[in-house]
Amino acid sequence: MSRSAHPAGPRHADVLPEGRSAAPADDLNALDPKVWARTVGRDADGVVTVGGLPVTRLAEEYGTPAYILDEADFRERARAWRTAFGADADVFYAGKAFLSRAVVRWLHEEGLNLDVCSGGELATALSAGMPAERIAFHGNNKSPEEIERAVRAGVGRIVLDSFQEIVRVAHIAESLGRRQRVQIRITVGVEAHTHEFIATAHDDQKFGIPLAGGQAAEAVRRALKLDGLEVIGIHSHIGSQIFDMSGFEVAAHRVVGLLKDIRDEHGVELPEIDLGGGLGIAYTSDDDPREPHEIAKALTEIVTRECEAARLATPRISVEPGRAIVGPTAFTLYEVGTIKPLDGLRTYVSVDGGMSDNIRTALYDAEYSVALVSRTSDAEPMLVRVVGKHCESGDIVVKDAFLPGDLAPGDLVAVPATGAYCRSMASNYNHVLRPPVVSVRDGAARVVVRRETEEDLLRLDVG
Ligand SMILES: *Cc1c(COP(=O)(O)O)cnc(C)c1O
């Protein structure tokens, strides 16, 4: 995926990416429910609406670019995960996908737990009233200050990621007179991406402690001896944007194998197993994600079967979806600024944002779709590349898409499925101001993260 040539490379203009059909959709005005938030539609004038509000009005009121977040959709998806996994499992929303205080409150109200992986995310969670015991603290290099804050706050679990951290967390907890609940993150030699998984002998990546060579078993051995720690389980996270469950199957098999070894060696059955996140969403109409209830059924069956074979009581399962909850619930609203047809190649459509609000295309070669949303059009489709306003030729938002041939400056276009890893990865490159996140619900809109201002920029620059 990310190993292919950069889209802005020297030959970038002459080929369509493999596997992507070069044909436009039958109706460019249609909005595929797979990629758009659930309350999105078009009104009688052809203007796209969300949460009952036309995007033209949202643009007028809040400006562009803006992330528009469908609160009802977010809550429904969160609830669907919660319901699918039921009372015997926990759903931790991965805050790194997108975190704001409004989102924390919605998650709290819908009965979800929350993953954080920095002091900033922890502060956001606590300031919005997420009970500390429902927070899990992640990361491969938590600072001693972050660990101390998490322990003091009383987070439900810290996920230990290295041998050093086992000792570090134990020491801090003990010095505070606490016994911290922890999971140990292991790497099981499986890496999953989209439609396949790769079984690797060695885990060449920075997260977790390898199962290989008995390292994970040794980590558990050490952690169990430390008074400051209560080891509650094993954690495994195998990848991102995954559609195929077979990677989870291999991971669960190996995690349960470790639980069995722990039981045999130490006489303890660890009560929890966390299978991480990484479930895929539809970025384009070509993607077919699974529903939460299918995922819950598959994961529960896998773990139950593996535990029966190992004669272990089935542990409490937790999962950590980020993208699968928030990704589909937002779109980015842009205004078209310039349109540059390059003869025989394609047409470049420049919008008023770019890689500062969506780095995923440049970073991962991610695919998105785009639609004209301020009106409908019957004009012939034209092949476009939607680009941003940054001083960088890799500043691409949508590599290849069709938009109506009568597209004009001032039109509004929107890129769906930008709820995850867009605002949370946004930058100030070129001193471009980060867009607001506007949530809509039942005909009302509300800014949940405001637009950055030049004063914000200058406040950090102390001169
Ligand atoms: C990133 C991450 C997640 C969430 O991944 P998604 O692809 O957004 O579901 C869950 N758990 C851990 C440990 C992660 O690092």
Side-chain angles (χ1 to χ4, degrees), residues 81 92-98 115-117 138-139 159 161 185 207 235-242 274-281 283 319-327 420-421:
W81 276 86
F92 286 78
Y93 168 79
K96 69 180 189 206
F98 172 65
D115 271 359
V116 300
C117 63
H138 279 268
V159 181
D161 196 87
R185 177 164 175 178
F207 295 108
H235 182 286
S236 154
H237 172 73
I238 57 170
S240 62
Q241 185 60 2
I242 305 166
D274 190 316
L275 293 171
L279 287 314
I281 64 163
Y283 282 104
V319 287
E320 306 174 309
R323 186 194 318 269
I325 292 178
V326 71
Y421 306 109

Short mmCIF file of all heavy atoms in Angstrom, two decimals, residues 81 92-98 115-117 138-139 159 161 185 207 235-242 274-281 283 319-327 420-421, ligand 1:
data_model
loop_
_atom_site.label_atom_id
_atom_site.label_comp_id
_atom_site.label_asym_id
_atom_site.label_seq_id
_atom_site.Cartn_x
_atom_site.Cartn_y
_atom_site.Cartn_z
N TRP A 81 -21.97 -0.96 18.32
CA TRP A 81 -20.82 -1.73 18.83
C TRP A 81 -21.09 -2.21 20.25
O TRP A 81 -20.86 -3.36 20.58
CB TRP A 81 -19.55 -0.87 18.80
CG TRP A 81 -18.91 -0.88 17.45
CD1 TRP A 81 -19.20 -0.07 16.40
CD2 TRP A 81 -17.89 -1.78 16.99
NE1 TRP A 81 -18.42 -0.39 15.31
CE2 TRP A 81 -17.60 -1.43 15.65
CE3 TRP A 81 -17.18 -2.83 17.57
CZ2 TRP A 81 -16.64 -2.10 14.89
CZ3 TRP A 81 -16.22 -3.49 16.83
CH2 TRP A 81 -15.96 -3.13 15.50
N PHE A 92 -13.87 -0.17 23.77
CA PHE A 92 -13.07 1.03 24.01
C PHE A 92 -12.96 1.77 22.68
O PHE A 92 -12.41 1.23 21.72
CB PHE A 92 -11.66 0.67 24.50
CG PHE A 92 -11.61 0.20 25.92
CD1 PHE A 92 -11.99 -1.09 26.26
CD2 PHE A 92 -11.17 1.05 26.93
CE1 PHE A 92 -11.94 -1.53 27.59
CE2 PHE A 92 -11.11 0.62 28.25
CZ PHE A 92 -11.49 -0.67 28.59
N TYR A 93 -13.47 2.99 22.63
CA TYR A 93 -13.30 3.81 21.43
C TYR A 93 -11.86 4.32 21.42
O TYR A 93 -11.37 4.86 22.43
CB TYR A 93 -14.30 4.97 21.47
CG TYR A 93 -14.05 6.06 20.44
CD1 TYR A 93 -14.45 5.89 19.12
CD2 TYR A 93 -13.42 7.25 20.79
CE1 TYR A 93 -14.23 6.88 18.17
CE2 TYR A 93 -13.20 8.25 19.86
CZ TYR A 93 -13.60 8.07 18.55
OH TYR A 93 -13.39 9.05 17.62
N ALA A 94 -11.18 4.17 20.28
CA ALA A 94 -9.78 4.63 20.18
C ALA A 94 -9.76 6.13 19.93
O ALA A 94 -10.01 6.60 18.82
CB ALA A 94 -9.06 3.88 19.07
N GLY A 95 -9.45 6.88 20.98
CA GLY A 95 -9.54 8.34 20.93
C GLY A 95 -8.66 8.98 19.86
O GLY A 95 -8.96 10.06 19.37
N LYS A 96 -7.59 8.31 19.47
CA LYS A 96 -6.69 8.92 18.50
C LYS A 96 -7.37 9.13 17.15
O LYS A 96 -6.92 9.95 16.36
CB LYS A 96 -5.43 8.07 18.34
CG LYS A 96 -5.71 6.74 17.65
CD LYS A 96 -4.44 5.91 17.50
CE LYS A 96 -4.76 4.71 16.62
NZ LYS A 96 -3.92 3.56 16.85
N ALA A 97 -8.45 8.38 16.86
CA ALA A 97 -9.14 8.55 15.58
C ALA A 97 -9.74 9.95 15.48
O ALA A 97 -9.62 10.62 14.45
CB ALA A 97 -10.22 7.49 15.40
N PHE A 98 -10.40 10.37 16.51
CA PHE A 98 -10.85 11.76 16.69
C PHE A 98 -11.36 11.94 18.11
O PHE A 98 -12.24 11.20 18.54
CB PHE A 98 -11.96 12.17 15.71
CG PHE A 98 -12.52 13.54 16.05
CD1 PHE A 98 -11.72 14.66 15.93
CD2 PHE A 98 -13.81 13.70 16.55
CE1 PHE A 98 -12.19 15.93 16.29
CE2 PHE A 98 -14.29 14.96 16.91
CZ PHE A 98 -13.48 16.07 16.76
N ASP A 115 -10.01 4.65 24.88
CA ASP A 115 -8.55 4.50 24.81
C ASP A 115 -7.92 5.86 24.64
O ASP A 115 -8.32 6.62 23.75
CB ASP A 115 -8.16 3.74 23.53
CG ASP A 115 -8.12 2.25 23.71
OD1 ASP A 115 -8.38 1.76 24.83
OD2 ASP A 115 -7.84 1.57 22.71
N VAL A 116 -6.89 6.16 25.43
CA VAL A 116 -6.09 7.36 25.18
C VAL A 116 -4.63 6.93 25.06
O VAL A 116 -4.26 5.85 25.53
CB VAL A 116 -6.24 8.41 26.30
CG1 VAL A 116 -7.69 8.85 26.44
CG2 VAL A 116 -5.71 7.87 27.64
N CYS A 117 -3.82 7.75 24.41
CA CYS A 117 -2.42 7.36 24.29
C CYS A 117 -1.47 8.54 24.50
O CYS A 117 -0.35 8.53 24.01
CB CYS A 117 -2.16 6.67 22.96
SG CYS A 117 -2.44 7.70 21.54
N HIS A 138 -2.68 3.88 26.61
CA HIS A 138 -1.81 3.18 25.66
C HIS A 138 -0.56 3.98 25.35
O HIS A 138 -0.46 5.14 25.69
CB HIS A 138 -2.55 3.02 24.33
CG HIS A 138 -3.50 1.89 24.30
ND1 HIS A 138 -3.14 0.65 23.87
CD2 HIS A 138 -4.81 1.81 24.63
CE1 HIS A 138 -4.19 -0.16 23.94
NE2 HIS A 138 -5.22 0.51 24.40
N GLY A 139 0.32 3.37 24.55
CA GLY A 139 1.46 4.10 24.02
C GLY A 139 2.74 3.33 24.24
O GLY A 139 2.87 2.61 25.23
N VAL A 159 -1.86 -0.12 29.40
CA VAL A 159 -1.41 -1.20 28.54
C VAL A 159 0.11 -1.11 28.43
O VAL A 159 0.64 -0.15 27.86
CB VAL A 159 -2.10 -1.14 27.17
CG1 VAL A 159 -1.64 -2.29 26.28
CG2 VAL A 159 -3.62 -1.19 27.34
N ASP A 161 3.86 -1.78 27.31
CA ASP A 161 4.34 -1.98 25.94
C ASP A 161 5.80 -2.43 25.86
O ASP A 161 6.29 -2.73 24.79
CB ASP A 161 4.15 -0.67 25.16
CG ASP A 161 4.25 -0.86 23.66
OD1 ASP A 161 3.23 -1.17 23.05
OD2 ASP A 161 5.37 -0.71 23.12
N ARG A 185 0.79 -5.70 26.27
CA ARG A 185 0.58 -5.74 24.83
C ARG A 185 1.64 -6.60 24.17
O ARG A 185 2.84 -6.37 24.34
CB ARG A 185 0.63 -4.33 24.24
CG ARG A 185 0.49 -4.34 22.73
CD ARG A 185 0.14 -2.98 22.18
NE ARG A 185 0.13 -3.01 20.73
CZ ARG A 185 -0.19 -1.96 19.98
NH1 ARG A 185 -0.52 -0.83 20.55
NH2 ARG A 185 -0.17 -2.06 18.68
N PHE A 207 5.66 -1.46 18.43
CA PHE A 207 4.68 -1.70 19.50
C PHE A 207 4.79 -3.10 20.09
O PHE A 207 5.07 -4.07 19.38
CB PHE A 207 3.26 -1.50 18.97
CG PHE A 207 2.97 -0.09 18.57
CD1 PHE A 207 2.84 0.25 17.23
CD2 PHE A 207 2.84 0.90 19.53
CE1 PHE A 207 2.56 1.56 16.86
CE2 PHE A 207 2.56 2.21 19.17
CZ PHE A 207 2.43 2.54 17.84
N HIS A 235 -3.04 -8.02 25.56
CA HIS A 235 -3.54 -7.12 24.52
C HIS A 235 -2.85 -7.38 23.20
O HIS A 235 -1.64 -7.59 23.16
CB HIS A 235 -3.28 -5.68 24.96
CG HIS A 235 -3.80 -4.66 24.00
ND1 HIS A 235 -3.19 -4.40 22.80
CD2 HIS A 235 -4.88 -3.86 24.06
CE1 HIS A 235 -3.88 -3.47 22.16
NE2 HIS A 235 -4.91 -3.12 22.90
N SER A 236 -3.63 -7.36 22.13
CA SER A 236 -3.05 -7.53 20.79
C SER A 236 -3.80 -6.64 19.81
O SER A 236 -5.04 -6.60 19.81
CB SER A 236 -3.20 -9.01 20.38
OG SER A 236 -3.25 -9.14 18.97
N HIS A 237 -3.08 -5.90 19.01
CA HIS A 237 -3.69 -5.03 17.99
C HIS A 237 -2.93 -5.30 16.70
O HIS A 237 -1.72 -5.10 16.65
CB HIS A 237 -3.56 -3.56 18.41
CG HIS A 237 -3.99 -2.57 17.37
ND1 HIS A 237 -5.31 -2.36 17.03
CD2 HIS A 237 -3.27 -1.74 16.57
CE1 HIS A 237 -5.38 -1.44 16.08
NE2 HIS A 237 -4.15 -1.05 15.78
N ILE A 238 -3.63 -5.78 15.67
CA ILE A 238 -2.89 -6.34 14.53
C ILE A 238 -2.82 -5.46 13.30
O ILE A 238 -2.13 -5.81 12.34
CB ILE A 238 -3.44 -7.74 14.13
CG1 ILE A 238 -4.95 -7.66 13.81
CG2 ILE A 238 -3.16 -8.76 15.22
CD1 ILE A 238 -5.50 -8.93 13.19
N GLY A 239 -3.50 -4.33 13.27
CA GLY A 239 -3.39 -3.52 12.05
C GLY A 239 -4.53 -2.54 11.93
O GLY A 239 -5.17 -2.19 12.93
N SER A 240 -4.77 -2.07 10.71
CA SER A 240 -5.82 -1.08 10.52
C SER A 240 -6.51 -1.27 9.18
O SER A 240 -5.95 -1.88 8.26
CB SER A 240 -5.21 0.33 10.59
OG SER A 240 -4.29 0.49 9.55
N GLN A 241 -7.74 -0.74 9.11
CA GLN A 241 -8.55 -0.83 7.89
C GLN A 241 -8.64 -2.28 7.40
O GLN A 241 -8.42 -2.60 6.24
CB GLN A 241 -7.97 0.14 6.83
CG GLN A 241 -8.74 0.29 5.53
CD GLN A 241 -10.16 0.82 5.71
OE1 GLN A 241 -10.62 1.12 6.80
NE2 GLN A 241 -10.91 0.93 4.62
N ILE A 242 -8.99 -3.18 8.35
CA ILE A 242 -9.05 -4.62 8.09
C ILE A 242 -10.48 -5.04 7.74
O ILE A 242 -11.43 -4.65 8.43
CB ILE A 242 -8.61 -5.42 9.34
CG1 ILE A 242 -7.23 -4.97 9.81
CG2 ILE A 242 -8.63 -6.92 9.08
CD1 ILE A 242 -6.87 -5.45 11.21
N ASP A 274 -7.76 -8.47 25.06
CA ASP A 274 -8.12 -7.32 24.24
C ASP A 274 -7.61 -7.56 22.83
O ASP A 274 -6.42 -7.79 22.63
CB ASP A 274 -7.49 -6.05 24.83
CG ASP A 274 -8.01 -4.78 24.18
OD1 ASP A 274 -8.12 -4.77 22.94
OD2 ASP A 274 -8.29 -3.82 24.90
N LEU A 275 -8.52 -7.53 21.87
CA LEU A 275 -8.13 -7.83 20.48
C LEU A 275 -7.89 -6.58 19.64
O LEU A 275 -7.74 -6.66 18.42
CB LEU A 275 -9.17 -8.75 19.83
CG LEU A 275 -9.22 -10.15 20.45
CD1 LEU A 275 -10.41 -10.94 19.92
CD2 LEU A 275 -7.92 -10.91 20.20
N GLY A 276 -7.87 -5.41 20.29
CA GLY A 276 -7.50 -4.19 19.58
C GLY A 276 -8.60 -3.70 18.65
O GLY A 276 -9.77 -4.08 18.76
N GLY A 277 -8.19 -2.83 17.73
CA GLY A 277 -9.15 -2.26 16.78
C GLY A 277 -8.73 -2.60 15.37
O GLY A 277 -8.22 -3.68 15.12
N GLY A 278 -8.96 -1.67 14.47
CA GLY A 278 -8.48 -1.87 13.10
C GLY A 278 -9.53 -2.28 12.11
O GLY A 278 -9.21 -2.57 10.96
N LEU A 279 -10.80 -2.31 12.51
CA LEU A 279 -11.85 -2.73 11.58
C LEU A 279 -12.08 -1.67 10.50
O LEU A 279 -12.16 -0.48 10.80
CB LEU A 279 -13.15 -3.02 12.32
CG LEU A 279 -13.17 -4.31 13.16
CD1 LEU A 279 -12.60 -5.49 12.39
CD2 LEU A 279 -12.45 -4.18 14.47
N GLY A 280 -12.20 -2.13 9.27
CA GLY A 280 -12.23 -1.24 8.12
C GLY A 280 -13.57 -0.56 7.88
O GLY A 280 -14.62 -1.03 8.33
N ILE A 281 -13.53 0.55 7.18
CA ILE A 281 -14.75 1.26 6.75
C ILE A 281 -14.70 1.46 5.23
O ILE A 281 -13.65 1.25 4.61
CB ILE A 281 -14.89 2.65 7.42
CG1 ILE A 281 -13.74 3.58 7.00
CG2 ILE A 281 -14.96 2.50 8.92
CD1 ILE A 281 -14.00 5.05 7.27
N TYR A 283 -14.26 3.74 2.27
CA TYR A 283 -13.82 5.06 1.82
C TYR A 283 -14.36 5.34 0.43
O TYR A 283 -14.58 6.48 0.07
CB TYR A 283 -12.29 5.14 1.82
CG TYR A 283 -11.71 5.34 3.21
CD1 TYR A 283 -11.11 4.30 3.90
CD2 TYR A 283 -11.79 6.58 3.83
CE1 TYR A 283 -10.60 4.49 5.17
CE2 TYR A 283 -11.28 6.78 5.11
CZ TYR A 283 -10.69 5.73 5.77
OH TYR A 283 -10.19 5.92 7.03
N VAL A 319 -12.56 -4.80 22.75
CA VAL A 319 -12.17 -4.37 21.40
C VAL A 319 -12.03 -2.86 21.41
O VAL A 319 -12.56 -2.17 22.28
CB VAL A 319 -13.21 -4.78 20.33
CG1 VAL A 319 -13.16 -6.27 20.08
CG2 VAL A 319 -14.61 -4.33 20.72
N GLU A 320 -11.31 -2.35 20.42
CA GLU A 320 -10.98 -0.92 20.42
C GLU A 320 -11.18 -0.28 19.05
O GLU A 320 -10.22 0.18 18.43
CB GLU A 320 -9.51 -0.75 20.85
CG GLU A 320 -9.17 -1.42 22.16
CD GLU A 320 -7.68 -1.36 22.47
OE1 GLU A 320 -6.86 -1.73 21.63
OE2 GLU A 320 -7.35 -0.89 23.57
N PRO A 321 -12.41 -0.21 18.58
CA PRO A 321 -12.63 0.42 17.28
C PRO A 321 -12.52 1.94 17.36
O PRO A 321 -13.02 2.55 18.30
CB PRO A 321 -14.08 0.02 16.94
CG PRO A 321 -14.73 -0.12 18.28
CD PRO A 321 -13.67 -0.66 19.21
N GLY A 322 -11.80 2.52 16.42
CA GLY A 322 -11.75 3.98 16.33
C GLY A 322 -12.41 4.39 15.04
O GLY A 322 -13.53 4.89 14.99
N ARG A 323 -11.68 4.11 13.94
CA ARG A 323 -12.16 4.43 12.60
C ARG A 323 -13.58 3.93 12.34
O ARG A 323 -14.41 4.64 11.77
CB ARG A 323 -11.21 3.79 11.59
CG ARG A 323 -11.46 4.14 10.14
CD ARG A 323 -10.70 3.18 9.22
NE ARG A 323 -9.36 2.89 9.69
CZ ARG A 323 -8.28 3.58 9.34
NH1 ARG A 323 -8.36 4.56 8.49
NH2 ARG A 323 -7.10 3.25 9.84
N ALA A 324 -13.87 2.68 12.77
CA ALA A 324 -15.16 2.07 12.43
C ALA A 324 -16.32 2.82 13.06
O ALA A 324 -17.46 2.71 12.60
CB ALA A 324 -15.17 0.60 12.86
N ILE A 325 -16.07 3.56 14.14
CA ILE A 325 -17.14 4.35 14.75
C ILE A 325 -17.20 5.75 14.14
O ILE A 325 -18.22 6.18 13.61
CB ILE A 325 -16.98 4.42 16.28
CG1 ILE A 325 -17.23 3.02 16.86
CG2 ILE A 325 -17.97 5.43 16.89
CD1 ILE A 325 -17.05 2.93 18.37
N VAL A 326 -16.09 6.46 14.16
CA VAL A 326 -16.16 7.88 13.78
C VAL A 326 -15.92 8.13 12.29
O VAL A 326 -16.40 9.12 11.74
CB VAL A 326 -15.18 8.73 14.64
CG1 VAL A 326 -13.73 8.46 14.27
CG2 VAL A 326 -15.49 10.21 14.54
N GLY A 327 -15.19 7.23 11.64
CA GLY A 327 -14.80 7.47 10.25
C GLY A 327 -15.94 7.86 9.33
O GLY A 327 -15.91 8.92 8.68
N ALA A 420 -12.27 9.94 10.80
CA ALA A 420 -11.15 9.36 11.53
C ALA A 420 -9.82 9.79 10.94
O ALA A 420 -9.66 9.81 9.72
CB ALA A 420 -11.25 7.83 11.52
N TYR A 421 -8.87 10.11 11.79
CA TYR A 421 -7.49 10.39 11.38
C TYR A 421 -7.38 11.54 10.39
O TYR A 421 -6.46 11.56 9.58
CB TYR A 421 -6.83 9.11 10.83
CG TYR A 421 -6.91 7.97 11.82
CD1 TYR A 421 -7.75 6.87 11.61
CD2 TYR A 421 -6.19 8.02 13.02
CE1 TYR A 421 -7.86 5.85 12.54
CE2 TYR A 421 -6.29 7.00 13.95
CZ TYR A 421 -7.13 5.92 13.71
OH TYR A 421 -7.23 4.92 14.64
C1 LIG B 1 -5.01 2.74 16.49
C2 LIG B 1 -5.41 1.75 17.50
C3 LIG B 1 -6.74 1.37 17.59
C4 LIG B 1 -7.81 1.87 16.67
O1 LIG B 1 -7.59 1.55 15.34
P1 LIG B 1 -8.76 1.81 14.27
O2 LIG B 1 -8.12 1.41 12.99
O3 LIG B 1 -9.08 3.26 14.33
O4 LIG B 1 -9.90 0.97 14.68
C5 LIG B 1 -7.09 0.48 18.59
N1 LIG B 1 -6.17 0.00 19.46
C6 LIG B 1 -4.88 0.37 19.39
C7 LIG B 1 -3.94 -0.18 20.39
C8 LIG B 1 -4.45 1.25 18.42
O5 LIG B 1 -3.16 1.58 18.36
#
